[in-house]
Amino acid sequence: MIYLDNSATTQPFPEVLESFYKGSTDFFANPSSIHQLGSRSEKLLSEARKQAARYLNVNETEVVFTSGGTEGNNLAIKGAAFMHQTRGKHIITSQVEHPSVLEACRSLETLGYEVSYVKVNEEGRVNLEDIKEEIREDTILVSLMSVNNELGTIQPIEEVANLLSSYPKILFHVDHVQGLGKVPIDIGNRGIDLCTLSGHKIHGLKGTGALIAKQHVSLFPLFHGGGQEKAQRSGTENLPGTTAFVKALRLIEELHSKEAEQLQSLHDQLYSSLQQIEKVKLNSPINGAPHIVNFSVPGYKPEVIIHSLGEREIYISTKSACSSKQPEVSSVLQACHLDRERTTSALRVSLSYLTTREEITRFIAAFHEVLEELEETMGRSL
Amino acid sequence: MNFDRILIRYGEMALKGKNRNHFEQVLQRNLTLKLRPFPNTKIRKTRDRMYVLLNGEEPNDVMKSCQEVFGIHSLSFAIKVEKKEEDLKEAALLAFTDASSAKTFKVSAKRTDKDFPIHSKELNPLLGGHILRNTEHVTVDVHNPDVEIKVEVRSDAAYVTAQDYPGAGGLPVGTTGKSLLLLSGGIDSPVSGYLTLKRGVELSAVHFHSPPYTSERAKQKVIDLAGVLSKYGNQVNVHVVPFTAIQQKIHREMPEGYSMTIMRRIMMRISELIARKEGILSLTTGESLGQVASQTMESMNAINEVTNYPIIRPLVSMDKLEIIDISRKINTYDISIRPYEDCCTVFVPKAPKTKPTREKAAYYESSTDFTKDVQTALQQTSVIQVKADTSSKEIEDEFNDLL
């Protein structure tokens, strides 16, 4: 099997599963229970929080453990919007955000908020000036992803953080789900107020993650209850999942420091191999994230290519898994002003630190085969 | 181009006359300990200031650490460049961008190397103009600038210094002796410890532990608080005194109204004995006048009778809100408010005497002999060494393979 759909989800590391298992058996007590067994669980939770804070260069009080990216994005956006509605009701985001950001924003629009969706260039990148132009007296939040999940485009996070540091009343939220472990950003940066992380994109488990909420940020909680996570996210703590998430954080940090160049070189190999195929049009920028390559094969239905590759046990995807059940046009590619042929025929190959050079070579060979096979039945006539 | 050093200006210790050398040495030692996580940094001492050479370490992280060291008045990023116009321009711009919210600035250039062709008076507009051309909405204000960029052209090289960051102030920890802090786990005592550290005092701590009335989590709280304090000083040794038997005996045998006063007197006696054994010459408490029954003038007088060691009470005149402000600033607040019983809250009498007298306290105590209990408690006292980096850098063995 060759798994090249790592932006959808990653295979959990065995060590992560071990942590989950041990966290579920030896530390099953509720961390909020006051007996000694609960105390041990709480100690593990607090150690996990410290570790996470250290890897992410933030204060441990700034780590809110969540159920993953969607929750983190919703808590950041709605939490900030509800909390500061008296200050203003204007939010700035971009046209190419993940659905959990876009839909959260749209839901706020039904409640009387105004949202500016900043456009992007043909590579999917926002322009700093465009954000600057949208800033108003009543702007309370800017939400931007660090790495686009479909294209791998890297957004100018540091520049936006610098820009917004002159606007102390505007919170800056970064959706760092795709960037974590691959395209580092300095979350400790003064200009970043909120940052979403997800466990299952870094070989952790689904249903785990964290929202970093800086000390000065107050959020209106989405879940009210027992007051866990400093009352910002009530609900019995998912200790095994959290333990596994922090373990995954540690492993991905180690991998990043050792294997970053290797991953980049695999990316370049894949990129240039695809560039040499006449039928292929590359959508990802060459200087994008090292683990995502998006391309179109105009005239070919992406689903058919995916299934043909799947028969050879090679797994890639169309656009993002989260929106692949919707109509076939990729709204991200549309926002990049690509023509309809390209937006309806896009494929995404996403790598991980476990991907090998041989797998890339085998994928390219199989892809050639598939294109040849399909040429007879599909080709440009479709 | 990036900053290659941090310039450190001394605070009060600059006034120390003949002892100044000693103060500087202690500061250098404390800085060296503090910067252990940044192994490439080097500390250089000159006549009236110190430099931390970054050697590639992340400037902001090193700055943050330096800001937690007492004895420093202010700090600035600085950079050494070649005496070339282009390099000076680039460095001046870098120094300005460091002050991200600054809207006005001025350049103050000094030229001690008279062979350098550009005069100081020409340097100011030259470098200022370069900053103006490369920024927006920024103006020069020579009287009251948001940031002053200092440029010094010396014989060896030119130095450009960015905005001032505030230091922690006070005196280097270790220059004014050692004190034993009574650490309960509440909001006050860690703040008191912090302010004592600020005066250059090294700390040990004592904690009274009464299982099962107080839990392991209450003890952990104290260890975590000591961990925060150790960031500002060095290692803090926490003496954990088993106090259950004594509290039970007080509860059984002393009149209820005086039980709290007598408990405090015994704590003082034990603390003094620990201090004596460790060669420590004073005790520090988080007492603040008028806060609770044990902190009335009468109470303090009755409790203080049992020791003639000096008691440092930095909070005595502070309001609760002022204390809370500091505890938030130094990150002890969130630890202190964890909701676990501590030794001072478990055996609280319904109506403690707010005006106890020394005579009565001594009279009640005379009917019961506590000497043996105190001896036993001292014998069973354990010492936990708390270092700043134990909590964050080393994973507890128990969780080692888990996280």
Side-chain angles (χ1 to χ4, degrees):
Chain A
M1 178 192 75
I2 299 176
Y3 181 75
L4 297 173
D5 192 15
N6 289 284
S7 289
T9 195
T10 51
Q11 183 180 11
F13 288 132
E15 296 94 323
V16 165
L17 292 169
E18 268 165 42
S19 284
F20 183 83
Y21 180 74
K22 213 169 163 204
S24 310
T25 46
D26 298 359
F27 296 89
F28 70 88
N30 190 324
S32 299
S33 293
I34 65 169
H35 48 66
Q36 282 80 345
L37 212 56
S39 173
R40 283 188 68 218
S41 296
E42 191 195 36
K43 213 167 164 184
L44 173 58
L45 182 67
S46 115
E47 201 58 44
R49 200 182 302 280
K50 276 181 201 158
Q51 289 292 320
R54 187 156 70 85
Y55 295 133
L56 301 167
N57 187 27
V58 297
N59 199 308
E60 57 191 270
T61 57
E62 300 174 330
V63 181
V64 183
F65 289 118
T66 64
S67 69
T70 295
E71 184 188 326
N73 284 339
N74 271 271
L75 176 56
I77 292 168
K78 292 182 196 164
F82 293 155
M83 190 53 108
H84 299 298
Q85 50 186 317
T86 50
R87 195 192 281 169
K89 287 190 161 189
H90 179 237
I91 294 167
I92 302 172
T93 186
S94 89
Q95 291 178 350
V96 294
E97 298 300 312
H98 187 266
S100 58
V101 167
L102 291 174
E103 291 305 319
C105 287
R106 283 186 194 123
S107 79
L108 287 170
E109 285 180 297
T110 66
L111 299 175
Y113 288 80
E114 275 184 74
V115 182
S116 303
Y117 301 91
V118 171
K119 63 180 180 355
V120 294
N121 67 10
E122 66 277 14
E123 291 189 333
R125 198 174 149 95
V126 298
N127 186 338
L128 194 64
E129 290 303 314
D130 292 340
I131 291 179
K132 214 171 176 177
E133 246 167 53
E134 294 294 341
I135 293 176
R136 316 192 314 214
E137 195 62 11
D138 60 342
T139 306
I140 49 176
L141 177 74
V142 174
S143 177
L144 216 57
M145 63 195 350
S146 61
V147 170
N148 186 275
N149 53 318
E150 289 192 33
L151 287 169
T153 308
I154 301 171
Q155 300 293 6
I157 294 301
E158 203 178 320
E159 287 86 338
V160 176
N162 282 341
L163 166 71
L164 292 176
S165 62
S166 333
Y167 299 88
K169 283 186 177 169
I170 303 178
L171 294 174
F172 183 31
H173 166 238
V174 179
D175 170 5
H176 192 41
V177 169
Q178 281 299 340
L180 183 61
K182 319 277 187 347
V183 180
I185 57 170
D186 179 12
I187 306 174
N189 183 325
R190 280 173 289 181
I192 296 176
D193 303 296
L194 292 153
C195 183
T196 302
L197 309 169
S198 168
H200 77 109
K201 308 281 189 191
I202 54 166
H203 308 278
L205 298 173
K206 291 152 193 80
T208 66
L211 177 69
I212 305 306
K214 294 290 181 63
Q215 247 152 4
H216 59 276
V217 178
S218 29
L219 296 171
F220 189 87
L222 300 183
F223 304 157
H224 292 88
Q228 289 89 348
E229 298 296 300
K230 289 176 80 194
Q232 293 177 102
R233 202 277 182 195
S234 285
T236 299
E237 296 93 339
N238 174 6
L239 183 59
T242 298
T243 309
F245 169 58
V246 176
K247 179 84 172 215
L249 256 184
R250 169 177 165 185
L251 296 172
I252 203 79
E253 289 280 312
E254 281 172 19
L255 275 173
H256 175 72
S257 62
K258 279 192 226 141
E259 307 283 342
E261 278 176 37
Q262 170 68 8
L263 182 63
Q264 185 65 52
S265 107
L266 292 186
H267 168 275
D268 297 347
Q269 181 198 351
L270 173 65
Y271 199 95
S272 63
S273 305
L274 288 169
Q275 241 170 354
Q276 286 159 25
I277 303 175
E278 204 187 325
K279 296 189 178 82
V280 166
K281 293 208 165 12
L282 277 148
N283 301 321
S284 290
I286 176 74
N287 57 0
H291 63 302
I292 299 177
V293 177
N294 187 306
F295 54 95
S296 297
V297 195
Y300 287 72
K301 277 196 186 294
E303 223 186 281
V304 179
I305 296 180
I306 285 173
H307 289 144
S308 305
L309 286 167
E311 279 166 11
R312 293 163 169 82
E313 293 195 329
I314 297 174
Y315 303 106
I316 68 166
S317 56
T318 63
K319 46 186 181 174
S320 82
C322 298
S323 53
S324 59
K325 284 186 185 145
Q326 292 156 17
E328 53 192 13
V329 179
S330 157
S331 58
V332 172
L333 297 187
Q334 223 169 17
C336 301
H337 302 292
L338 298 179
D339 58 41
R340 196 178 153 78
E341 262 206 326
R342 249 167 109 172
T343 57
T344 52
S345 64
L347 293 164
R348 180 183 66 178
V349 173
S350 46
L351 318 178
S352 83
Y353 289 112
L354 305 180
T355 309
T356 62
R357 193 166 293 282
E358 203 215 332
E359 286 177 331
I360 301 285
T361 316
R362 277 171 55 197
F363 159 70
I364 290 291
F367 185 57
H368 276 289
E369 279 173 31
V370 167
L371 287 187
E372 273 170 39
E373 268 177 32
L374 294 180
E375 180 151 32
E376 293 174 16
T377 49
M378 298 175 80
R380 294 198 163 266
S381 60
L382 258 174
Chain B
M1 188 178 267
N2 209 347
F3 299 111
D4 66 347
R5 65 195 61 208
I6 292 172
L7 164 67
I8 290 174
R9 302 179 195 87
Y10 306 149
E12 198 178 312
M13 58 185 264
L15 311 171
K16 289 294 170 204
K18 282 185 191 154
N19 288 327
R20 181 164 154 177
N21 223 339
H22 170 62
F23 280 78
E24 285 181 9
Q25 275 164 10
V26 176
L27 178 62
Q28 183 168 7
R29 184 201 68 193
N30 292 350
L31 266 172
T32 310
L33 288 175
K34 186 79 187 176
L35 296 180
R36 261 195 309 212
F38 309 99
N40 295 325
T41 54
K42 286 262 176 328
I43 299 167
R44 289 269 172 279
K45 222 166 68 178
T46 65
R47 228 181 63 80
D48 47 4
R49 42 183 61 170
M50 245 177 242
Y51 288 100
V52 175
L53 302 180
L54 293 167
N55 293 321
E57 300 282 2
E58 166 55 39
N60 289 313
D61 293 347
V62 178
M63 175 63 89
K64 226 164 131 188
S65 292
C66 291
Q67 281 183 291
E68 289 174 348
V69 177
F70 287 120
I72 295 175
H73 173 67
S74 70
L75 313 95
S76 302
F77 287 119
I79 182 169
K80 179 182 181 182
V81 290
E82 281 188 52
K83 293 184 282 182
K84 286 186 200 149
E85 189 183 322
E86 277 317 304
D87 286 12
L88 279 169
K89 277 181 174 169
E90 203 181 329
L93 185 60
L94 174 72
F96 177 77
T97 22
D98 176 44
S100 57
S101 58
K103 292 278 167 246
T104 61
F105 74 97
K106 82 173 195 185
V107 179
S108 307
K110 252 202 310 205
R111 185 189 59 139
T112 45
D113 169 19
K114 300 298 176 197
D115 294 336
F116 187 66
I118 312 170
H119 288 245
S120 331
K121 277 187 185 153
E122 297 166 51
L123 264 175
N124 291 340
L126 181 79
L127 301 179
H130 181 71
I131 291 173
L132 289 173
R133 270 192 299 282
N134 287 284
T135 50
E136 279 175 51
H137 313 300
V138 168
T139 52
V140 173
D141 181 349
V142 290
H143 301 296
N144 193 16
D146 293 339
V147 55
E148 180 179 358
I149 296 155
K150 299 189 190 87
V151 179
E152 235 182 299
V153 183
R154 294 201 221 147
S155 54
D156 60 328
Y159 296 84
V160 177
T161 311
Q163 68 166 332
D164 290 0
Y165 287 79
L171 295 168
V173 173
T175 53
T176 54
K178 194 164 181 180
S179 191
L180 183 69
L181 170 69
L182 279 71
L183 197 54
S184 66
I187 293 171
D188 297 344
S189 48
V191 172
S192 187
Y194 168 82
L195 293 172
T196 308
L197 285 165
K198 185 171 180 179
R199 291 314 300 163
V201 178
E202 222 172 304
L203 286 186
S204 269
V206 55
H207 177 66
F208 295 91
H209 186 44
S210 310
Y213 301 101
T214 65
S215 66
E216 278 301 304
R217 291 186 198 187
K219 192 168 107 188
Q220 187 61 44
K221 222 170 122 170
V222 168
I223 294 168
D224 291 349
L225 288 170
V228 176
L229 290 176
S230 66
K231 279 194 348 191
Y232 297 95
N234 302 323
Q235 173 179 305
V236 175
N237 289 345
V238 183
H239 299 257
V240 180
V241 182
F243 205 53
T244 317
I246 292 175
Q247 282 200 308
Q248 285 168 331
K249 192 164 174 179
I250 295 171
H251 187 66
R252 244 183 357 250
E253 299 180 20
M254 296 292 110
E256 205 194 352
Y258 264 79
S259 63
M260 187 264 309
T261 312
I262 289 166
M263 180 189 81
R264 300 264 173 191
R265 283 162 62 103
I266 294 175
M267 285 178 169
M268 280 295 166
R269 290 192 183 100
I270 293 176
S271 301
E272 185 191 302
L273 288 167
I274 292 174
R276 195 184 292 274
K277 201 177 93 200
E278 302 279 312
I280 295 171
L281 301 181
S282 70
L283 308 176
T284 298
T285 72
E287 287 164 296
S288 170
L289 202 49
Q291 241 195 52
V292 289
S294 65
Q295 295 172 17
T296 62
M297 197 66 86
E298 289 80 2
S299 272
M300 282 164 75
N301 182 283
I303 292 164
N304 218 145
E305 187 189 25
V306 301
T307 176
N308 65 0
Y309 269 48
I311 299 181
I312 301 174
R313 298 184 177 91
L315 310 186
V316 79
S317 63
M318 280 191 189
D319 291 349
K320 192 73 187 184
L321 289 178
E322 295 174 82
I323 299 169
I324 288 175
D325 273 353
I326 301 176
S327 75
R328 284 190 202 274
K329 199 183 82 189
I330 64 174
N331 292 325
T332 55
Y333 184 77
D334 286 334
I335 303 173
S336 291
I337 59 168
R338 289 185 209 155
Y340 310 119
E341 302 289 357
D342 69 45
C343 58
C344 306
T345 57
V346 174
F347 288 92
V348 183
K350 274 194 212 82
K353 276 260 179 279
T354 52
K355 296 186 176 175
T357 66
R358 290 184 169 196
E359 291 71 24
K360 281 203 170 157
Y363 167 73
Y364 293 132
E365 277 173 11
S366 70
S367 64
T368 306
D369 188 6
F370 284 101
T371 336
K372 253 194 163 163
D373 308 278
V374 167
Q375 281 314 318
T376 315
L378 276 173
Q379 275 160 17
Q380 292 171 355
T381 293
S382 56
V383 182
I384 301 171
Q385 301 179 342
V386 183
K387 292 179 197 157
D389 41 9
T390 31
S391 49
S392 58
K393 294 283 177 201
E394 287 164 29
I395 309 173
E396 274 198 52
D397 290 346
E398 191 186 3
F399 305 137
N400 201 6
D401 51 341
L402 267 165
L403 295 172

